[in-house]
Amino acid sequence: TMAKKRRGEGQGQASTHETSEAVAVGSAIGRKRAVKAKLLGALQRRGERFTPALSSERAFDADPADHCETPFKAYRDIEPLLFRVAQRAGRTKETLRIYDPFYCEGSVVRHLQSLGFGTVYNRNE
């Protein structure tokens, strides 16, 4: 108590131990943020938005009220998951094979390719 006052502790001044501990925690957080930023940079390439201009002829019957394209933002949202799947399968984003049986206007292929997934199957069959 009296010794603490003489040393300046307890009066808003942090001890050397507390200061170095705070620096270590701050450094760890900074490293985590840097790693996260690097991973996100690898994941999120700048993609374009594709919107079909016209409905094309289809090789199947479809209800117009239930026949919509998925927006690019949705593919960006699942990109980290697909990237992880590729890693677990020992593949790259380019070589991961993605099959989407729900054909609308085919923008899924362009959206995923703009994110680096080069092998996407989505055809009007």
Side-chain angles (χ1 to χ4, degrees):
T1 53
M2 186 57 108
K4 282 186 179 180
K5 285 185 180 181
R6 274 189 244 126
R7 290 192 308 248
E9 291 178 25
Q11 297 178 356
Q13 296 177 348
S15 70
T16 306
H17 175 72
E18 289 171 336
T19 303
S20 60
E21 193 174 280
V23 169
V25 169
S27 296
I29 291 170
R31 282 192 301 272
K32 281 186 175 182
R33 285 183 181 155
V35 168
K36 184 177 180 180
K38 184 177 178 182
L39 285 173
L40 289 175
L43 291 176
Q44 296 178 358
R45 293 184 183 172
R46 186 178 187 123
E48 296 178 39
R49 296 180 180 200
F50 300 95
T51 307
L54 302 169
S55 287
S56 60
E57 292 291 323
R58 292 186 186 79
F60 54 90
D61 292 328
D63 179 357
D66 187 34
H67 200 70
C68 305
E69 290 281 277
T70 303
F72 176 72
K73 182 186 179 320
Y75 293 104
R76 282 192 43 209
D77 289 343
I78 65 166
E79 180 188 11
L81 172 69
L82 292 174
F83 178 66
R84 184 76 175 140
V85 168
Q87 286 181 319
R88 296 281 303 227
R91 296 182 173 271
T92 64
K93 287 170 58 171
E94 181 65 34
T95 61
L96 179 68
R97 292 185 210 159
I98 299 173
Y99 173 72
D100 181 356
F102 304 104
Y103 184 84
C104 185
E105 295 298 323
S107 69
V108 61
V109 175
R110 293 184 299 272
H111 287 320
L112 288 172
Q113 285 178 343
S114 74
L115 293 171
F117 298 97
T119 310
V120 182
Y121 185 94
N122 177 249
R123 298 211 177 124
N124 184 7
E125 302 179 319

